[in-house]
Amino acid sequence: MELTRRGFLAGSLAACGLAAAGAGMFTPDSWLSPAVAYAGIGPSGAERAASGEEHTACTYHQEHCGGMCPLKCTVRDGRLVKVEPNTCVDDRYETICLKGISEVQHIYGAGRVQTPLKRVGERGSNEFVQVSWDEALDSIVSRIKEIQRDHGKQAVMVTSSSEANMPFLASLLGAQTGGNAGIDVGMGNGLDPAIGYGGGFAMATGEARDWVNSRMVLMVGCNFCESSLPQVRLFFEAKEAGARIVSVDPHFSTTAGKADEWVPIEPGTDAALFLAMTSVILDEGLADRAFMAAHTSLPFLIDASTGRLVRQHAEDPQAEKPQTGAENPFFVIDSATGQPVPYNQPGVSAALSGEVVVDGVRARTAYDALVEGQKEFTAAWAEGITGIPAAKIESLARAYAKGPSSLALGWGGNDKMGNADIAGHAAAVLAGVTGNICKPGANVGVFVGGCWNGHSTTLGSWELPDTLVPSEDEMAAYDMRTKPNSVKAYICCGDLVAQHFANMSKTEDWVRTLDLIVSIDPYFTEGAKWADYVLPATTRFELDAEVGAVKVGYNQIVLQNKVIDPLFEARTDFWIQKEFAKRLGCEDALPKDSTELASAILSGAEDPQIASLTIDQINEHHGTWPLPGIEKPRQEYADFAFDTVSGRLDLYYQNLVPFGQELPQWEPTLEANAQNPLRSEFPLQLANVRTRFHIHNQFNDAKWIQQYFEPTLDANPADLSARGLATGDTVEVFNDRGSFEVRVHANPSIRPGSIRLVEGATADYLARGNMQSVTNDATVERGDELLCGPVIPFSDTLVEIRKA
């Protein structure tokens, strides 16, 4: 691959008249020197760039990690030479990590797609020739028109990662958008329906700044110190303030090493821990009964024979959306009269426990169903599942119940297991029975990433004509590999092919059947190898206008200003969409440039204070603007008025009654469970984990980072010794789905019986093959009833290893 593609890169440089400069660009050390930057930011900086003077400009970095760090960039002779934190209203927002610093080399690196490429060999053979933008776009649009003429608008699908800025492309084409992602939604599928918040990603109800108010921060499957570098100071501020931080993790992670206590757990058993903690709390009278009665759905009556919630009127199964509690009240038992009454009737004090007859139907409270169901989930039972001693589970439960406690979940651990939704649901119940939610020091969810957990505001948008709308998604893209569907053409903005789909052999079989695949990305990714056309997009630092985007960062409005001109033949996301629109005859539907779009987004903000801002005003404050009220940590639902049908914390999931999961019930993982007979053949659980060196599969190709990190398979020394392996050996990782090869590293921090590799480890950075060749793509039966569909259980995978 390297030799094949470098030929195209060299040809691209020659075509751009950059061949002489190219070698210098690929070796930044040859032109870096100490920088003394001018203070100007914005248009004046752009003017100095044109004259060849040194200047600074501001932008923001990756939002995919949740850091969205505001950056100040020094430019000398048109080249980026220095990246540092920008000036902000509070130094806690002046953040950067090694990934941001490395952009000085990375954006000029050999991994960049420098010119449009057209496939000439078999799909997947990685054989391309360079073509012009006009040739590529004319051909792509012509093929799309043919496909849609023969198969309908829905025959095209456009998917986009959060790093891409492609809000119009699917609408311009009338394309499908890929449906549920299947990644990072495991815990959220179970937690978010209870709260009505998080969008399926289990976003925490408060921000990590609030941990200073916690007595206990229980981190379960959350490697905060590794995957949330820009906010790590908050972890230590909480410790200094007296919060006891406990890390529950199968491996001795970076966070476990900094926590007050590490509690090892069997992978995929987080739900069992939460269930047992709830049982201890209920059995020992540690629950917050007043909170449960007033603010949760546990007092609601359920039909004892059907499990359905009892409401004032019959529910319409054909209704487009559920009736609210005000429209169709739930019933509770009035503790004063013992009679069934609507839960929202003035003056009602709901009883947590009891049975009653409602219109001839015997009903009992959801709380009683919870207590009955929890009886089997003892601490002793959970010890056999989780490997955590019963006494430790009991002590964790008592400390958590005492509160205020925050329960920090993660996207890189149990979230990628087939039973993750049960763990998320059990976490909601645990928070609900103790009242450890939406109070100072007491919150629940994923705290990783400041821009996802800080204060926010609703910005405006550019409205397209009613004739330009996406097609309705037939199904999630991961299902298209195995189920009949209409898609014949796939435009992928970002490397979703290798990042969002497990079991790569199925993915490869599917993409071979498509008529057209287009990859749009600044870097040549694994997915690009399967494309018919590869289009080079710009990075966050490159623009052809003064402003590219305006977004909500970590408690701030942040601007993407022009730092340097587009490199090589790369084009901005806005330019690419505009060129599609020209060829589709709807160019006038879009803004004239990205600056006009950014101004419209800003002026359309819901908050009048934000809507009245101008781009110039924000640039006078170094491209950042603090949101109102950020002096205090963000706190959702402080009044306990949740965004649910009832307005309460809804812990009873009626839609899951057919699956026996209306209240969380233990189920083992799909594949990586201790009882699976497959373990005799494939005894090791393979975990996909996050790393401070990458964001998913981004920065794999960053040379400066490669000096300090390469993807290696970490395994316990005992597991390696039993197989005659040692650090530095190249091993084959295999199961009945496929195999790949990678160097192995003996690491005593890894739990015996498990091995660990960073997610996004693809073929160009391993000895052979792709990590996704072995990952599990099976889904749970109840998946279609979950908020975001089933999670892809990447880490719910069994493998064996042997010397390659």
Side-chain angles (χ1 to χ4, degrees), residues 99-152:
K99 295 184 288 291
I101 295 169
S102 76
E103 294 284 22
V104 173
Q105 179 275 327
H106 188 215
I107 67 169
Y108 299 103
R112 285 295 297 269
V113 182
Q114 297 185 21
T115 182
L117 301 174
K118 176 183 178 180
R119 176 175 64 84
V120 292
E122 292 293 322
R123 183 170 286 161
S125 66
N126 198 34
E127 297 176 15
F128 297 88
V129 296
Q130 68 181 57
V131 294
S132 68
W133 271 102
D134 282 339
E135 180 182 344
L137 290 171
D138 287 347
S139 177
I140 291 167
V141 173
S142 176
R143 290 286 294 117
I144 288 174
K145 287 179 177 179
E146 291 175 6
I147 290 168
Q148 291 185 322
R149 181 195 63 212
D150 295 339
H151 304 284

Side-chain angles (χ1 to χ4, degrees), residues 686-689 691 693-694 700 706 708-715 720 726-731 733 740-747 750 755-759 761-762 765-767 771:
L686 174 63
N688 288 240
V689 297
T691 169
F693 296 101
H694 295 164
N700 273 329
Q706 286 176 352
Y708 302 99
F709 177 80
E710 69 166 299
T712 56
L713 188 75
D714 281 4
L720 292 186
T727 292
D729 286 346
T730 298
V731 300
V733 183
F740 65 93
E741 294 178 5
V742 61
R743 287 208 310 155
V744 74
H745 176 246
N747 185 345
I750 304 304
I755 52 177
R756 191 173 71 182
L757 181 63
V758 296
E759 64 171 346
T762 53
Y765 310 100
L766 301 177
M771 182 185 194

